[in-house]
Amino acid sequence: RKADLAMYQAKKLGKNRFHYFDESLERLAIHRVKTEESLREAINNNEFILYYQPKIQIDQPQEKLVGVEALIRWKKEDGSLIFPDNFIPIAEKCGLIKSLTKWVITEACKQLKQWKNTHLANIPISVNISAIDITDPDFVESTLSILETYDIPKHLINLELTESVLFDDINTVNVKLKELHRNHITISLDDFGTGYSSLSYIQELQIDFLKIDKSFIFAMSKSKKSLAIVKSIIDMGNNLGMTVIAEGVETLEDKEILIKAHCHIAQGYLYSRPVEASKLEQLYGQ
Ligand code: C2E
Ligand code: CA
Ligand code: CA
């Protein structure tokens, strides 16, 4: 069993290598099994909560809220929050991600319904989707059926996917995206610039929003190269008719750079951290 753990670690780090077993591998394996168990319980006990981060239009004189991104948190009994990077990869590995995604979409729909007659009506919610979701044959149908159950206009749900979804089978992904598009569900390509960023799929796939990865935004005020990349991504998105979103916008200086470069939408701590629905209502609901 220990040799097995070492072998998995070797495989994880790449081909043609060996790895010794040590105690830390065992601790990691135990941690994963424990998290997996409590994740299963957490789904049954409804221990998750969605936080929302505003997306602000910056290419108009009057800045306004044009959408929110739903970001999941796991709320422990003691009130502490666990961030998604600590459990989403495990949920993906152990097959729990599909139920988690379903929960997120359902929760987003409930929220949209609650906002129906408020100032937040018609503000779309973006939901993060894993590569595993999009390859699930039932994904489109099950998403549409959730929207129908809560009577939510389909254009109010946006799906954020990273380039990792394209590692699988681009044709299958393309068929899925077209099906979603036919149903007026919009698609954002998340973390753009960090994966393979192949230009051939960009021209093939049905993508409405391009999200520039925050690492470029963090660096652009100090690095000429990062700035050049940001400007080029914005130009490319604009020329392809996509709406470009910059994430990780933390300073006024960043915002000014982005406005000058003709970026449409900004998201980041400059406007707000991800917050609970009630806080978002306080900030933008009146
Ligand atoms: P992401 O989709 O790229 O989300 C953006 C992350 O950057 C969020 O971290 C957000 O809190 C953070 N962020 C936003 N603005 C700023 C800023 O100005 N400065 C800095 N330093 N950070 C900023 P979070 O909430 O911890 O989420 C991490 C990742 O977990 C997300 O990255 C997404 O890939 C994943 N994730 C979150 N919710 C879900 C979900 O419901 N389902 C799935 N499959 N993945 C999720
Ligand atoms: Ca995202
Ligand atoms: Ca992102």
Side-chain angles (χ1 to χ4, degrees), residues 163-200:
E163 292 162 313
S164 63
V165 301
L166 307 163
F167 293 161
D168 294 313
D169 171 6
I170 185 145
N171 292 325
T172 316
V173 173
N174 208 357
V175 169
K176 292 278 172 66
L177 295 191
K178 282 193 172 137
E179 206 178 333
L180 289 163
H181 193 82
R182 258 200 315 280
N183 282 290
H184 310 288
I185 293 181
T186 56
I187 305 293
S188 301
L189 193 58
D190 205 353
D191 302 344
F192 185 72
T194 53
Y196 281 88
S197 309
S198 151
L199 298 181
S200 68

Coordinates of all heavy atoms in Angstrom, one line a residue, residues 163-200:
E163 N -10.0 26.6 -19.2 CA -9.5 25.9 -20.4 C -9.3 24.4 -20.2 O -9.2 23.6 -21.1 CB -8.2 26.5 -20.8 CG -8.3 27.9 -21.3 CD -7.0 28.6 -21.3 OE1 -6.3 28.6 -20.3 OE2 -6.7 29.3 -22.3
S164 N -9.2 23.9 -18.9 CA -9.0 22.5 -18.6 C -10.2 21.7 -19.2 O -10.0 20.5 -19.5 CB -8.9 22.2 -17.2 OG -10.0 22.6 -16.5
V165 N -11.4 22.3 -19.4 CA -12.5 21.5 -20.0 C -12.1 21.0 -21.4 O -12.7 20.1 -21.9 CB -13.8 22.2 -20.1 CG1 -14.3 22.7 -18.7 CG2 -13.8 23.4 -21.0
L166 N -11.2 21.8 -22.0 CA -10.9 21.5 -23.4 C -9.8 20.4 -23.6 O -9.5 20.0 -24.7 CB -10.4 22.8 -24.1 CG -11.4 23.9 -23.8 CD1 -10.8 25.3 -24.1 CD2 -12.7 23.7 -24.7
F167 N -9.3 19.9 -22.5 CA -8.3 18.9 -22.6 C -9.0 17.6 -23.1 O -8.4 16.7 -23.7 CB -7.6 18.6 -21.2 CG -6.8 19.7 -20.8 CD1 -6.4 19.8 -19.5 CD2 -6.4 20.7 -21.7 CE1 -5.6 20.9 -19.0 CE2 -5.6 21.7 -21.2 CZ -5.2 21.8 -19.9
D168 N -10.3 17.4 -22.8 CA -10.9 16.2 -23.1 C -11.2 16.1 -24.6 O -10.3 15.8 -25.3 CB -12.2 16.1 -22.3 CG -11.9 16.0 -20.8 OD1 -11.0 15.2 -20.5 OD2 -12.5 16.7 -20.0
D169 N -12.3 16.3 -25.0 CA -12.7 16.1 -26.4 C -13.3 17.4 -26.8 O -14.5 17.6 -26.5 CB -13.6 14.9 -26.5 CG -14.1 14.7 -27.8 OD1 -13.7 15.5 -28.7 OD2 -15.0 13.8 -28.0
I170 N -12.6 18.2 -27.6 CA -13.1 19.5 -28.0 C -14.4 19.4 -28.7 O -15.3 20.3 -28.6 CB -12.0 20.3 -28.8 CG1 -12.5 21.7 -29.0 CG2 -11.7 19.6 -30.1 CD1 -11.4 22.7 -29.0
N171 N -14.6 18.3 -29.5 CA -15.9 18.2 -30.3 C -17.1 18.0 -29.3 O -18.1 18.7 -29.5 CB -15.8 17.1 -31.3 CG -14.8 17.4 -32.3 OD1 -14.6 18.6 -32.7 ND2 -14.1 16.4 -32.8
T172 N -16.9 17.2 -28.3 CA -18.0 17.0 -27.4 C -18.3 18.3 -26.6 O -19.5 18.7 -26.5 CB -17.6 15.9 -26.3 OG1 -17.0 14.8 -27.0 CG2 -18.8 15.4 -25.5
V173 N -17.2 19.0 -26.2 CA -17.4 20.2 -25.5 C -18.1 21.2 -26.3 O -19.1 21.9 -25.9 CB -16.0 20.8 -25.0 CG1 -16.2 22.1 -24.4 CG2 -15.4 19.8 -24.0
N174 N -17.7 21.2 -27.6 CA -18.3 22.2 -28.5 C -19.8 21.9 -28.7 O -20.6 22.9 -28.7 CB -17.6 22.0 -29.9 CG -17.7 23.3 -30.7 OD1 -18.3 24.3 -30.2 ND2 -17.1 23.4 -31.8
V175 N -20.2 20.7 -28.8 CA -21.6 20.3 -28.9 C -22.4 20.8 -27.7 O -23.5 21.4 -27.8 CB -21.8 18.8 -29.1 CG1 -23.2 18.3 -29.0 CG2 -21.2 18.3 -30.5
K176 N -21.8 20.6 -26.5 CA -22.4 21.0 -25.3 C -22.6 22.5 -25.2 O -23.7 23.0 -24.9 CB -21.6 20.5 -24.1 CG -21.5 19.1 -23.8 CD -22.8 18.6 -23.1 CE -22.8 17.1 -23.1 NZ -21.7 16.5 -22.3
L177 N -21.6 23.2 -25.6 CA -21.6 24.7 -25.5 C -22.7 25.2 -26.5 O -23.4 26.1 -26.1 CB -20.2 25.3 -25.8 CG -19.1 25.0 -24.8 CD1 -17.9 25.9 -25.0 CD2 -19.6 25.1 -23.3
K178 N -22.7 24.6 -27.6 CA -23.8 25.1 -28.6 C -25.2 24.8 -28.1 O -26.1 25.6 -28.2 CB -23.6 24.3 -29.9 CG -22.4 24.9 -30.7 CD -22.4 24.5 -32.2 CE -21.3 25.2 -32.9 NZ -20.6 24.4 -33.8
E179 N -25.3 23.6 -27.4 CA -26.6 23.3 -26.9 C -27.0 24.3 -25.8 O -28.2 24.8 -25.7 CB -26.5 21.9 -26.3 CG -27.8 21.2 -26.2 CD -27.6 19.8 -25.6 OE1 -26.5 19.2 -25.8 OE2 -28.6 19.2 -25.0
L180 N -26.1 24.6 -24.9 CA -26.3 25.6 -23.9 C -26.7 27.0 -24.5 O -27.6 27.7 -24.1 CB -25.1 25.8 -23.0 CG -24.8 24.5 -22.1 CD1 -23.4 24.6 -21.5 CD2 -25.8 24.5 -20.9
H181 N -25.9 27.3 -25.5 CA -26.1 28.6 -26.2 C -27.5 28.7 -26.8 O -28.1 29.7 -26.7 CB -25.0 28.8 -27.2 CG -24.9 30.2 -27.7 ND1 -24.3 31.2 -27.0 CD2 -25.5 30.8 -28.8 CE1 -24.4 32.4 -27.7 NE2 -25.1 32.1 -28.8
R182 N -27.9 27.6 -27.5 CA -29.2 27.6 -28.1 C -30.3 27.9 -27.0 O -31.3 28.4 -27.3 CB -29.5 26.2 -28.6 CG -29.4 26.1 -30.2 CD -30.1 24.9 -30.8 NE -29.9 23.7 -30.1 CZ -28.8 22.9 -30.2 NH1 -27.8 23.3 -31.0 NH2 -28.7 21.8 -29.5
N183 N -30.0 27.5 -25.8 CA -30.9 27.7 -24.7 C -30.7 29.0 -23.9 O -31.2 29.2 -22.8 CB -30.8 26.5 -23.7 CG -31.6 25.3 -24.2 OD1 -32.8 25.3 -24.3 ND2 -30.8 24.3 -24.7
H184 N -29.9 29.9 -24.5 CA -29.6 31.2 -24.0 C -28.8 31.2 -22.7 O -28.9 32.2 -21.9 CB -30.9 32.0 -23.8 CG -31.8 32.0 -25.0 ND1 -31.5 32.7 -26.1 CD2 -32.9 31.3 -25.2 CE1 -32.4 32.4 -27.0 NE2 -33.3 31.6 -26.5
I185 N -28.1 30.1 -22.4 CA -27.2 30.1 -21.2 C -25.9 30.5 -21.7 O -25.3 30.0 -22.7 CB -27.1 28.7 -20.6 CG1 -28.5 28.3 -20.0 CG2 -26.0 28.6 -19.6 CD1 -28.6 27.0 -19.3
T186 N -25.3 31.6 -21.1 CA -24.0 32.1 -21.6 C -22.8 31.4 -21.0 O -22.9 30.9 -19.9 CB -24.0 33.6 -21.4 OG1 -24.1 33.9 -20.0 CG2 -25.0 34.4 -22.1
I187 N -21.7 31.6 -21.7 CA -20.5 30.9 -21.3 C -19.3 31.9 -21.1 O -19.1 32.7 -21.9 CB -20.0 29.8 -22.3 CG1 -21.2 28.9 -22.6 CG2 -18.7 29.1 -21.9 CD1 -21.5 27.9 -21.5
S188 N -18.6 31.7 -20.0 CA -17.4 32.5 -19.8 C -16.2 31.6 -19.8 O -16.3 30.5 -19.2 CB -17.4 33.2 -18.4 OG -18.5 34.1 -18.3
L189 N -15.1 32.0 -20.4 CA -13.9 31.2 -20.3 C -13.0 31.9 -19.2 O -12.6 33.0 -19.3 CB -13.2 31.3 -21.7 CG -12.0 30.3 -21.8 CD1 -12.5 28.8 -21.6 CD2 -11.4 30.4 -23.2
D190 N -12.8 31.1 -18.1 CA -12.2 31.6 -16.9 C -10.7 31.4 -17.0 O -10.2 30.6 -17.7 CB -12.8 30.8 -15.7 CG -12.8 31.5 -14.4 OD1 -12.2 32.6 -14.4 OD2 -13.3 30.9 -13.4
D191 N -10.0 32.2 -16.2 CA -8.6 32.1 -16.0 C -7.8 32.2 -17.3 O -6.8 31.5 -17.5 CB -8.2 30.8 -15.3 CG -8.8 30.7 -13.9 OD1 -9.3 31.7 -13.4 OD2 -8.9 29.6 -13.4
F192 N -8.3 32.9 -18.3 CA -7.8 32.9 -19.6 C -6.3 33.4 -19.6 O -6.0 34.3 -19.0 CB -8.6 33.8 -20.6 CG -8.1 33.6 -22.0 CD1 -8.3 32.5 -22.7 CD2 -7.3 34.6 -22.6 CE1 -7.8 32.3 -24.0 CE2 -6.8 34.5 -23.9 CZ -7.0 33.4 -24.6
G193 N -5.5 32.6 -20.3 CA -4.1 33.0 -20.4 C -3.2 32.1 -19.6 O -2.0 32.1 -19.7
T194 N -3.8 31.3 -18.7 CA -2.9 30.4 -17.8 C -2.8 29.0 -18.3 O -1.9 28.3 -18.0 CB -3.5 30.4 -16.4 OG1 -4.9 29.9 -16.4 CG2 -3.4 31.7 -15.7
G195 N -3.8 28.5 -19.1 CA -3.8 27.2 -19.6 C -3.1 27.1 -20.9 O -2.1 27.8 -21.1
Y196 N -3.7 26.4 -21.8 CA -3.1 26.3 -23.2 C -3.4 27.5 -24.1 O -2.7 27.8 -25.0 CB -3.4 25.0 -23.8 CG -2.5 23.9 -23.3 CD1 -2.9 23.2 -22.1 CD2 -1.3 23.6 -23.9 CE1 -2.1 22.2 -21.6 CE2 -0.5 22.7 -23.3 CZ -0.9 22.0 -22.2 OH 0.0 21.0 -21.7
S197 N -4.5 28.2 -23.7 CA -5.0 29.4 -24.5 C -4.8 29.2 -26.0 O -4.2 30.1 -26.6 CB -4.2 30.6 -24.0 OG -4.2 30.7 -22.6
S198 N -5.3 28.1 -26.5 CA -5.1 27.9 -27.9 C -6.0 28.8 -28.7 O -7.2 28.9 -28.4 CB -5.4 26.4 -28.2 OG -5.8 26.3 -29.5
L199 N -5.5 29.4 -29.7 CA -6.4 30.3 -30.5 C -7.3 29.6 -31.4 O -8.3 30.1 -31.8 CB -5.5 31.3 -31.3 CG -4.6 32.2 -30.4 CD1 -3.8 33.1 -31.3 CD2 -5.4 33.0 -29.4
S200 N -7.0 28.3 -31.7 CA -7.9 27.6 -32.6 C -9.2 27.3 -31.9 O -10.2 27.3 -32.6 CB -7.2 26.3 -33.2 OG -7.0 25.4 -32.1

